[in-house]
Amino acid sequence: MTGASGATLWWLRRDLRLDDNPALAAACARGPVVPVFVWCPREEGRWAPGAASRVWLHHALAALHAALRRHGLRLVVRHGPTLETLAALAAECDASAVYWNRLYDPASTARDTQVKGALRERGLEARSFNGALLNEPWAVASSQGRPFRVFTPFHRHCLSLGPPRSPAPAPGNLPAPRTWPAGDTLDALALLPRIDWAVGIREAWTPGEAGAQRELAVFVDGAAAHYATGRDLPATDGVSRLSPHLHFGEISPHRVWHAVSNEAFTRQLYWREFAHHLLFHFPHTPDEPLYPRYKAFPWREDGPALGAWQRGRTGYPLVDAGMRELWHTGWMHNRVRMNVASFLVKHLLLDWRAGARWFWDTLVDADLASNTMGWQWAAGCGADAAPYFRIFNPVRQGGRFDPGGRYVRRWLPELARLPPEHVHAPWAAPTAVLEAAGVRLGHDYPWPVVEHAAARRRALAALETLRGA
Ligand code: FAD
């Protein structure tokens, strides 16, 4: 099939793959395909990709461009307002249709609805597909027809819908257009930082579809079998590390679901679904608590404490190791994310939005749905949240989930020589032990910024102020 029906623009966003890509498959079935990426962060408002996400995006787009080249296609990159850019591109390459996979965050849904209507008014065929979720957020509802706010019934309902559809392979034939429209270079998008702080990210990851498939294969051959126990131990390779790949759509959740037949693991994929369900139905939640009574919570303002948390200088090793892992690699283990988030909102009594914003800028998997759910969970103000009175003790959490201190030692080399029984609470170690390990508190490693028991009392007192609110 050629020219008669015109080429199809495949408008790429966070579906940077050829495998199991519904919009791409439909475009290929129609005729020549022009893959297009339009960069317009302004349209994503306050939640345009953060610094680490931009680094990832640059490399993922480069990888996709190379993969398309091998199939005789290109990735056309443009900078500018989406609607006008797509319309101009369609005119330039005689395209009669624009196909894309849907996004579910509030800025994207509003923009995409507007783009779809405006393209149709211009006589173009505009169609969107589900390439990101096992179920559309609106296809899952309680027996009263309402969105879920609790995970267990949501999960049960999803399971009752039966297994997700099987993933489809990448199209065997990717038809090229007769003429290619001009594009910007990837470098022109200026996604990479001017000062190269992203070495750790490059060392830790291979952005792109091939990297995603490799990560999945490694997990299936190794940690998947012991996921239920291994997933809580940050020092081990017990988790899939697929989150940035899933966020950027370098692999589909269907492909992952069908590759890993482990109920403990597929349950996590439904947490991801739940996060999207919540964000779609409660679009105010990135900026406001799901439950309005928490709006009155008496958060503190404390720049130095926030800075200590961000830099991994709180004096609590599990928290600091997590924040340094994040800074270095753009990722943090889930057990540690829960601890650092709890520490910020409960020990330091700092607003969960300050933490969510820091994660947004530093995580390579920063995802508005999962990040919002994770932070509201930690703050106790969201769906299925941790009860506010349950306050993680970072020393006990360290002893339980990093018993030998291997994780802490890896990210805090200044504590590497402390024996296991002291590595999670160096301030409680005898002077001789500290000296033997070469640790001078206040010099090599900070004293705790707050004392656990006092912080706990302060957090509970703050919660008391909400009674009756
Ligand atoms: P695995 O354990 O291998 O799980 C497989 C996949 O399931 C993950 O890749 C992810 O897509 C999904 N998943 C697992 N746990 C969760 C969860 N609790 N919530 C939603 N999806 C989940 N995840 C993000 O992808 N982006 C974020 O911005 C993000 N922010 C978070 C903030 C906080 C405060 C907390 C507590 C959690 C956050 N998470 C976020 C969830 C979770 O920590 C990560 O998805 C997980 O650590 C990614 O590692 P993995 O791919 O090895 O996960």
Side-chain angles (χ1 to χ4, degrees):
M1 238 171 108
T2 50
S5 62
T8 305
L9 299 187
W10 167 33
W11 176 28
L12 283 143
R13 295 95 65 76
R14 294 200 288 273
D15 56 328
L16 307 180
R17 63 175 186 273
L18 307 183
D19 176 65
D20 194 34
N21 189 317
L24 172 63
C28 286
R30 200 173 167 274
V33 180
V34 180
V36 171
F37 180 82
V38 182
W39 176 240
C40 189
R42 186 166 46 79
E43 291 175 357
E44 294 179 74
R46 283 170 40 69
W47 297 104
S53 298
R54 289 178 192 220
V55 170
W56 187 286
L57 183 59
H58 176 97
H59 294 295
L61 289 173
L64 186 69
H65 184 59
L68 287 168
R69 279 260 181 217
R70 288 194 286 279
H71 287 87
L73 295 193
R74 300 177 192 169
L75 175 61
V76 179
V77 171
R78 285 270 177 105
H79 196 172
T82 298
L83 174 60
E84 289 72 17
T85 307
L86 289 174
L89 278 165
E92 285 167 41
C93 62
D94 201 17
S96 54
V98 185
Y99 286 4
W100 65 86
N101 290 308
R102 285 188 275 279
L103 297 173
Y104 302 91
D105 60 283
S108 298
T109 37
R111 192 254 327 263
D112 296 358
T113 306
Q114 192 234 336
V115 166
K116 192 182 263 182
L119 290 175
R120 285 180 178 167
E121 274 172 24
R122 291 169 197 226
L124 290 157
E125 186 195 338
R127 282 180 69 193
S128 63
F129 300 80
N130 173 11
L133 296 177
L134 300 175
N135 296 296
E136 299 279 21
W138 51 85
V140 178
S142 73
S143 51
Q144 296 91 43
R146 286 204 279 270
F148 288 98
R149 291 170 187 241
V150 180
F151 176 71
T152 305
F154 170 86
H155 186 213
R156 205 179 306 127
H157 184 90
C158 291
L159 294 180
S160 77
L161 300 175
R165 65 161 177 79
S166 297
N173 177 29
L174 298 172
R178 267 196 296 265
T179 52
W180 283 97
D184 294 332
T185 63
L186 198 44
D187 288 339
L189 304 189
L191 296 169
L192 295 178
R194 260 182 253 139
I195 298 167
D196 183 17
W197 44 257
V199 182
I201 293 180
R202 289 200 299 278
E203 280 169 8
W205 303 97
T206 308
E209 184 167 15
Q213 289 178 351
R214 211 158 35 241
E215 205 83 75
L216 176 63
V218 167
F219 179 64
V220 168
D221 289 347
H226 314 288
Y227 180 79
T229 47
R231 65 181 289 257
D232 262 327
L233 306 174
T236 64
D237 292 331
V239 292
S240 73
R241 291 167 41 97
L242 282 168
S243 50
H245 300 292
L246 280 164
H247 171 74
F248 285 98
E250 297 164 7
I251 195 158
S252 79
H254 298 81
R255 177 66 66 200
V256 177
W257 194 96
H258 282 279
V260 187
S261 54
N262 175 326
E263 204 274 324
F265 178 81
T266 49
R267 185 183 166 85
Q268 295 312 114
L269 293 179
Y270 283 109
W271 272 106
R272 176 177 177 272
E273 297 277 312
F274 186 48
H276 283 82
H277 180 82
L278 291 171
L279 181 62
F280 181 80
H281 290 290
F282 307 102
H284 65 287
T285 49
D287 301 301
E288 295 293 337
L290 177 66
Y291 295 107
R293 68 175 176 279
Y294 288 95
K295 279 188 187 180
F297 195 86
W299 299 112
R300 291 185 329 120
E301 297 271 341
D302 186 341
L306 179 62
W309 178 81
Q310 289 170 334
R311 282 179 289 119
R313 304 277 303 161
T314 68
Y316 284 87
L318 185 65
V319 173
D320 294 341
M323 298 308 287
R324 305 236 199 130
E325 177 180 31
L326 172 62
W327 185 248
H328 189 75
T329 67
W331 184 87
M332 194 194 302
H333 189 279
N334 182 60
R335 170 58 50 188
V336 192
R337 288 188 206 207
M338 293 196 291
N339 271 277
V340 305
S342 168
F343 191 87
L344 185 84
V345 297
K346 295 182 179 171
H347 285 73
L348 299 179
L349 223 57
L350 297 178
D351 194 324
W352 60 274
R353 282 162 286 211
R357 185 49 75 178
W358 183 254
F359 269 32
W360 187 255
D361 212 33
T362 51
L363 278 172
V364 289
D365 67 15
D367 180 278
L368 198 57
S370 297
N371 199 40
T372 300
M373 182 178 75
W375 277 97
Q376 291 219 15
W377 176 87
C381 61
D384 227 344
Y388 198 88
F389 57 80
R390 196 173 297 150
I391 295 177
F392 278 147
N393 179 334
V395 179
R396 283 222 207 110
Q397 287 277 310
R400 186 163 163 210
F401 297 110
D402 183 31
R406 199 147 61 88
Y407 176 75
V408 158
R409 266 180 250 284
R410 170 156 186 222
W411 294 108
L412 304 177
E414 63 270 42
L415 302 185
R417 288 160 59 206
L418 273 181
E421 62 275 26
H422 295 297
V423 78
H424 290 292
W427 64 88
T431 311
V433 172
L434 288 171
E435 269 174 23
V439 179
R440 284 172 309 153
L441 288 176
H443 292 274
D444 312 303
Y445 187 71
W447 290 96
V449 286
V450 280
E451 193 255 324
H452 172 71
R456 186 172 192 284
R457 281 194 300 277
R458 182 173 67 177
L460 294 176
L463 183 66
E464 274 298 303
T465 66
L466 286 192
R467 265 189 202 274

